[in-house]
Each structure stands twice: as C-alpha cells, then as structure tokens.
Amino acid sequence: MSGRRTIPRGCGGWLTLRGKHLANPTSKTDDLAQTLRRQIAAGEFVAGDRLPSIRSLAARHGLAKNTVIEAYDSLVASGEVEPRRGSGFYVRAVPASAAREDEPNLLDRAMDTVWILREQLNNDPAHLAIGHGIPPARWFDDARIERIRQRFARGAPDALFQYGHRFGHRPLRETLERRLHALGIVAPSNQILLTLGANEAMDLVVRGTMRPGDAALVDEPGYYPLYGKLALHGVKAVGVPRQADGPNVDAFEQLAATSGARTFFTQSIGHNPTGSDTSPAKAYRLLQIAERHGITIVENDAAGDLKPAGAMRLCTLDQLRRTVYIGSVTKTIGPALRVGFIAAEQGLVERLADLKMLIHVSNPEYAERVVDAVLGSPEHPRFLASLHEQVARETRHAVKILTGLGAELFCVPTHSLYLWARFPWAPDALALAKSLTKDQIALAPGVFFLIDGRSPTEWSRFNTGYVVDPRFAKAMLKYRPASVAKTIGPV
C-alpha cells in the first residue's frame, strides 16, 4: 500500500496518512501519532478542535482500536492532546510543549499599544497629535450637540437614575435598525447590541467567540488596539496584507486554508490606518473564500459615517449570515459619547449581551438617549452633509501637504480621516516620531500597526484633520532634507 489516504477531520479539514508507513502494529501506532503531531504543528488541527474518533480511524484504515488508543495516549502524554470523557480527544488550548520561560506574558505583549494610546489621549492644546485616531473637535462645531442634549435632558431626567436594558436603549436600537437598512443591511433591533464604543464591541467578540490558543486573521497594517485585545486574550493574530483596494485576497485564501483561524477582523470602509476602501470585486471574493473555509468576518465600520452613502460593505452582501457588523458614533457625534454597537445573528447577540452584563452590569443609558436624540434631530442630516464636505476638503489639503513634504501615499481616498504615508528620506518612522516629540508633535509610527513591530518601517498614520495645522509642516521642514524640493502650498 503506497497510495495517499485521507481521514475527515472534525472541523472540515483532512488528515493525510500514507499507507506504506503502516507496516506493523508498533510502527502503526508511532506513525499515526507522528502524523497527528505534524498536522497539529502545521495548523491542520488547531486548539480546541476535536480529533477523529477512535472508531472512525480504526474502521477507515483497518487498524485495531488499541492501536489508535495508544497513538492518542502518546499525544496525551506529550501534552498536545487532552481527553474529554464522553466526547473524545481534543487539541489542547495551550500545549505543554509550547510553554517557554522566556516568553513575555500576555499583558506585556498587549501593553505594546499603550504608548501610542497615551500619546493620542494627550489633550494639551500645545500637543499636536498628527496621528490621532479621532477627528479634531472643530469638525463638530456645527453638530449643536449641547443644544440637542439640553433639549433631551429636560424630557428624560430619569435616565440618570436607572439601569438600562441589557441590549441597550430600545429607541436607539430601532434608530440604528433604520440606519442599517439604509445601507442595505437587514438587522432587526433584537439583533443589535449597544456597546461602549466600537472598541468594547471588538473586545466582546474576542472574549465571546474565541479561546486562548486560537488564531484570528486581521488586516495588516491594522487597528493596533485589536492586536492588543487579541494578545491579552491569548489569541494569535495572523496578518492579511492590506492593499490599496482592500485585503490581499490570495493571501487571505491561503491563510484561511492553513492558519486554523475561524475569524477575520477587517475594515471595509475608511480602513484604519491606511484610509483605503475594499473594492466590490474583492468584497465578493472575500465572502466566497470565507464561505468555503468556514470563516466569520467581523467588519468594523467605525469610520463609515465619514463617507457619503453608497460605499460597499461586506455585511450588505452577506446579510449577517457569515458576518458581524460593528459600528460607532464616535467619529460623527463626539468621542466622549462612547456608544457603539454590534449587529449579528440573534444567538450571538444574546450571548454577547450576557457577557457584557457580566463585565459592566448595565449600559450607559443616558449617553445612549443623547445619541438617539442627536441622530433623530432635524439638524443631524444637514450636519452630516456639511461634515462630508469638510472631510473631503481636508483630505485633499492633507494630501497636498504630505506630498509637498516629499511623502509617498499608500492610496489617495476622497473622504478619509486617515492617510498612510512614508517619507523616503526618513527610513525609520519611529525615529522620526521621537524627533518630533521635541516639537510637541505626536506621529503614529507604522510599527504600532504591524503585528510584529520589531523591524523599522517608513510608514506612519496621519490624521487629515491635524495634518492641515501649520505647526506640522513647519516642524517637518526642519527634518526634511534640502534636496527634497517639493512645494507644500498654503496651509
């Protein structure tokens, strides 16, 4: 027997054996154990997967049950597999052989993101956060949020003195249902869970659907707080390279087949940090690949409201069958109102609502009512239209400033909070960021948006609303070589 044989694995993959290796009872046990071990190491079976049953292995390959039991016992003894009474054998969440004394703990790895978070949260007026993750306050000048809040507060004083519904304020969920319907996404209010912003939404999805030892596919470069959340939970982030028109679908297909990941976190619209949008052609291919490999796509649309209607969302195409939608009001109403939401199939929303109660007990209903009042006010559509014009204007201006300073742009979006750019004359963006701190200017160097940020990179994230501040160009001119003869233009 020299042909290749296959055994169906419990989560849709295939275990490959070579019949020529099964020559005698002793080698059968050893070879089966070694084959399973190689498959686990290669990611064919990932942490938590149920291995084929003793009976199915024995029957399919003409092996004695004791031979299969001995092979599994070998894997149990080496710490790679654990038996579960009445259920079978499973790949261990944290294989004993994988532990290393010199491996930093999960909190240390997650803390890699804290330095940049501290810089972004510095509200000193003299501090210019060029890499900031939220719009500048002046973008909200026409929102009239305080006037709407006062109007709301007079009519609902009891909101400060009660816990909210575990799903969140129903009228706001109904408002979001209508807004999602306008995007072509059908999500009844009982499939919408309100959260403390998009960041808590991502945290709930990670905690509620993944276990330590799992792998997750992510955009790379991508949203650095997500990397920190995954690391803190013991989930391995596997990067899918981001291109100017969305994720690299060939890389996504290969990783979907080999990484063992069952979740892909991505941003289709206004990607953080590159500002890129996923093209319709790529959106279709991503969903087809996810369907074939049993992958759930978590679509973070926190910046989607900064763009005019009509941009393609994965959830519009999929209708929450294999997708989870995360939204936020932070970018268009105000960062201090930490209100976001998850739209997903009802069973998942129920589980995540229970998890949220365990963590926070209740929602901030006062903030949710304010948000609902703002979204439902007659002023809000006019404010959004004005905001879209301002974002487009400042995106064009920021592109002109960066190219005038000699920058190369990853892509040139029409409406974006972010631009991803590099200066060929500054090969280490982190070193440039450290230099600019002397001018009280904070960049967001690209190393923080990469999973393994140990190698220098030229790339940085730039906030279009802050790049237009004259202090940025003035400071950069001190570091730009005289040989870079570009024209910045008026700022």
Side-chain angles (χ1 to χ4, degrees):
M1 296 175 63
S2 59
R4 184 179 292 271
R5 305 174 116 185
T6 56
I7 302 172
R9 69 177 272 214
C11 291
W14 293 86
L15 171 66
T16 302
L17 302 175
R18 292 188 181 276
K20 65 180 180 181
H21 291 162
L22 306 179
N24 57 66
T26 302
S27 64
K28 288 178 182 179
T29 298
D30 295 340
D31 284 342
L32 179 57
Q34 287 300 322
T35 301
L36 287 165
R37 187 173 285 115
R38 285 194 299 271
Q39 295 291 329
I40 292 170
E44 290 294 323
F45 294 97
V46 299
D49 275 0
R50 182 179 183 274
L51 294 170
S53 70
I54 294 170
R55 179 176 296 177
S56 67
L57 283 180
R60 183 174 293 272
H61 294 279
L63 300 174
K65 291 182 182 179
N66 284 343
T67 301
V68 180
I69 292 171
E70 288 172 5
Y72 277 150
D73 284 346
S74 174
L75 295 174
V76 170
S78 63
E80 292 146 292
V81 169
E82 61 180 354
R84 298 182 187 175
R85 183 179 296 276
S87 180
F89 292 86
Y90 290 76
V91 179
R92 283 190 51 150
V94 183
S97 60
R100 292 177 49 189
E101 292 183 0
D102 61 341
E103 183 178 359
N105 64 48
L106 300 177
L107 180 59
D108 289 341
R109 291 206 298 263
M111 290 294 287
D112 289 342
T113 66
V114 172
W115 179 86
I116 190 171
L117 281 170
R118 284 200 302 260
E119 291 298 309
Q120 305 303 301
L121 297 176
N122 186 337
N123 293 319
D124 185 342
H127 180 87
L128 184 60
I130 290 295
H132 215 328
I134 59 177
R138 57 186 170 77
W139 282 17
F140 302 101
D141 286 347
D142 296 331
R144 301 181 180 181
I145 295 172
E146 181 57 24
R147 183 183 304 177
I148 297 170
R149 187 199 66 79
Q150 291 175 354
R151 199 160 60 214
F152 147 77
R154 288 193 296 270
D158 61 330
L160 282 171
F161 306 105
Q162 61 187 16
Y163 285 145
H165 189 279
R166 68 189 185 110
F167 275 29
H169 187 49
R170 178 180 291 278
L172 177 54
R173 288 188 285 119
E174 291 171 348
T175 298
L176 293 172
E177 176 183 348
R178 293 189 292 272
R179 287 169 65 86
L180 287 175
H181 191 269
L183 298 177
I185 302 170
V186 178
S189 61
N190 63 355
Q191 289 182 227
I192 297 174
L193 173 67
L194 301 184
T195 63
L196 293 169
N199 264 287
E200 192 204 29
M202 284 185 289
D203 190 53
L204 288 172
V205 172
V206 172
R207 293 197 200 197
T209 66
M210 311 189 79
R211 293 178 294 184
D214 285 353
L217 301 180
V218 297
D219 287 330
E220 189 175 28
Y223 188 52
Y224 63 90
L226 172 62
Y227 297 167
K229 296 176 196 303
L230 292 171
L232 192 60
H233 196 59
V235 175
K236 179 184 178 182
V238 180
V240 177
R242 185 77 181 196
Q243 298 175 320
D245 60 345
N248 183 320
V249 290
D250 293 330
F252 176 66
E253 184 159 30
Q254 180 180 10
L255 291 169
T258 61
S259 67
R262 293 292 175 263
T263 308
F264 176 38
F265 292 87
T266 188
Q267 284 183 277
S268 300
I269 307 299
H271 174 252
N272 187 354
T274 68
S276 60
D277 297 337
T278 300
S279 68
K282 282 198 169 181
Y284 281 106
R285 284 197 61 193
L286 288 169
L287 288 171
Q288 290 170 346
I289 294 166
E291 183 75 30
R292 284 199 299 272
H293 295 279
I295 289 179
T296 297
I297 298 180
V298 181
E299 184 174 34
N300 179 3
D301 197 26
D305 282 348
L306 293 177
K307 290 182 178 286
M312 176 68 71
R313 272 88 173 170
L314 290 164
C315 290
T316 302
L317 300 174
D318 178 75
Q319 293 299 316
L320 305 180
R321 291 188 314 108
R322 192 170 287 284
T323 50
V324 174
Y325 183 90
I326 290 176
S328 171
V329 303
T330 295
K331 303 296 190 294
T332 53
I333 293 183
L337 290 168
R338 304 298 298 160
V339 177
F341 64 95
I342 300 169
E345 60 90 13
Q346 189 172 0
L348 176 59
V349 168
E350 291 272 358
R351 295 195 301 275
L352 296 183
D354 290 342
L355 177 60
K356 187 185 70 170
M357 279 201 309
L358 184 62
I359 298 170
H360 294 301
V361 179
S362 179
N363 280 21
E365 181 159 325
Y366 187 86
E368 292 172 359
R369 291 193 182 200
V370 171
V371 168
D372 189 46
V374 172
L375 293 179
S377 70
E379 299 97 331
H380 192 63
R382 294 194 295 270
F383 164 70
L384 274 184
S386 173
L387 178 61
H388 292 158
E389 292 176 2
Q390 183 164 17
V391 173
R393 185 169 58 250
E394 298 204 356
T395 300
R396 292 192 300 269
H397 196 177
V399 167
K400 185 176 182 180
I401 291 170
L402 288 170
T403 54
L405 290 166
E408 174 191 339
L409 300 182
F410 180 80
C411 65
V412 183
T414 58
H415 300 71
S416 183
L417 179 60
Y418 309 114
L419 292 172
W420 186 242
R422 63 180 176 181
F423 297 96
W425 49 267
D428 186 348
L430 184 57
L432 177 62
K434 290 178 179 178
S435 297
L436 284 168
T437 57
K438 293 179 288 187
D439 300 276
Q440 292 190 290
I441 290 176
L443 288 187
V447 291
F448 292 102
F449 301 90
L450 303 175
I451 296 169
D452 182 2
R454 290 176 292 184
S455 299
T457 178
E458 299 170 295
W459 296 95
S460 294
R461 182 185 72 183
F462 295 86
N463 184 306
T464 56
Y466 286 91
V467 166
V468 300
D469 189 304
R471 290 176 290 170
F472 171 63
K474 181 180 178 181
M476 288 295 290
L477 287 172
K478 295 196 306 186
Y479 301 97
R480 187 187 72 173
S483 59
V484 181
K486 300 275 187 177
T487 301
I488 298 175
V491 294

